[in-house]
Amino acid sequence: MNAVPRLSLNQETIKQWSLPELAEGCVKAGVTGVGLWREPVQKYGVEAAARLIRDAGLTVTSLCRGGFFTALDPGERAAALADNRTAIDEAATLGTDTLVLVSGGLPSGSRDLFAARERIADALGELGPYAAERGVRLAIEPLHPMYASDRCVVSTLAQALDLAERFPADQVGVVVDTYHLWWDDTVAAQIARAGAGGRIASFQLADWITPLPEGVLLGRGQLGDGAVDFRWFREQVDATGFDGPIEVEIFNPALWARDGAEVLAEVADRYRELVL
């Protein structure tokens, strides 16, 4: 099977596959990169997962996730920092230079978005040097504003860059994810800003479908099923000089209920049609 240029498959897109099935399926489909998640990697064994992916000839394009930095309680904050150091070590073991961050929502009882973002900055300042020493970059992922209260107070690429630019580019970058950013009419300028500063750590694809399903976390659409202009996004990102992997990350129970090889073939076909 000929390689599909730049395509990386995030393992959550085909969550029904085990890690060995993921490796085998990607090799058969000509997909050379995979994005991994900590929980299934930990269950399999971090070092064993690293060997499996390496022996299959695949590249780990990202590890998800670190973050959740916004707690007010000192003990919770210390635990989050410790867990993120572990995540950084896991990323280094897996051979990826990108740890994706879901930065955290508002703590219970708080309405102060600005203070929450400052606590994220404090955590980045503590963790950035540790990550860089291990060849890992912290990648701030802005999430759609509907997640601001419970998951991520960083809602736009501009907000992510305002945080990232306080630190060296080899320590902190950003994620450009179409699902979260497609609606923002400033996104082209912000992608250019990110590229000029060498801040694009990851480029991820999923479609926005309406009506949103109950439980918006699992409402991402297969490429081509919704509102996102993927080729436009790819052209904007490419114009910055970014030529790294393009990772398809879709959380969707309907895809998880299907045959994994069929889903991957569909992803690859739509990627060729809509992205390249």
Side-chain angles (χ1 to χ4, degrees):
M1 176 68 71
N2 293 330
V4 187
R6 298 174 66 185
L7 177 60
S8 173
L9 178 73
N10 188 284
Q11 73 178 123
E12 285 292 288
T13 303
I14 308 180
K15 189 176 183 177
Q16 62 269 40
W17 270 353
S18 66
L19 271 171
E21 288 171 333
L22 176 73
E24 180 181 4
C26 285
V27 169
K28 286 182 177 178
V31 175
T32 59
V34 291
L36 299 181
W37 279 68
R38 293 181 66 199
E39 184 176 341
V41 166
Q42 290 169 347
K43 185 176 181 180
Y44 189 82
V46 178
E47 293 186 358
R51 286 195 300 273
L52 173 72
I53 299 300
R54 183 175 60 248
D55 290 349
L58 300 171
T59 299
V60 180
T61 56
S62 71
L63 178 65
C64 198
R65 63 193 176 189
F68 293 95
F69 298 132
T70 55
L72 290 166
D73 179 79
E76 291 180 17
R77 175 179 173 76
L81 291 171
D83 183 61
N84 276 270
R85 291 187 185 95
T86 299
I88 291 164
D89 293 341
E90 291 168 354
T93 299
L94 292 167
T96 181
D97 59 2
T98 302
L99 176 65
V100 176
L101 303 180
V102 176
S103 298
L106 286 172
S108 179
S110 173
R111 295 178 176 84
D112 193 339
L113 290 166
F114 302 99
R117 293 181 189 128
E118 284 305 308
R119 288 193 294 278
I120 294 168
D122 291 343
L124 294 170
E126 291 193 41
L127 294 169
Y130 184 90
E133 288 172 1
R134 288 152 182 80
V136 175
R137 181 156 60 158
L138 306 175
I140 305 169
E141 181 170 16
L143 269 58
H144 189 281
M146 65 183 173
Y147 298 112
S149 63
D150 63 341
R151 291 183 179 273
C152 189
V153 297
V154 181
S155 300
T156 66
L157 190 54
Q159 290 170 355
L161 287 165
D162 287 346
L163 285 166
E165 288 169 354
R166 301 190 195 187
F167 309 99
D170 67 332
Q171 294 184 15
V172 184
V174 297
V175 180
V176 176
D177 187 322
T178 61
Y179 179 75
H180 296 298
L181 300 176
W182 72 275
W183 57 275
D184 185 351
D185 62 0
T186 73
V187 73
Q190 298 305 323
I191 289 171
R193 173 186 169 190
R199 297 283 175 175
I200 300 177
S202 179
F203 178 31
Q204 296 183 333
L205 309 181
D207 216 336
W208 181 277
I209 54 176
T210 47
L212 287 173
E214 184 178 356
V216 294
L217 182 64
L218 305 183
R220 300 186 182 205
Q222 171 64 287
L223 308 184
D225 283 355
V228 177
D229 186 340
F230 294 105
R231 182 167 291 109
W232 181 90
F233 263 94
R234 195 264 302 160
E235 289 172 349
Q236 299 301 309
V237 171
D238 282 1
T240 72
F242 178 86
D243 60 358
I246 303 174
E247 189 174 307
V248 175
E249 182 188 60
I250 305 170
F251 311 151
N252 189 309
L255 296 184
W256 299 337
R258 291 170 54 190
D259 175 76
E262 177 186 285
V263 172
L264 182 51
E266 183 177 88
V267 166
D269 285 345
R270 296 198 183 190
Y271 174 88
R272 292 185 183 98
E273 176 189 355
L274 300 169
V275 181
L276 294 183

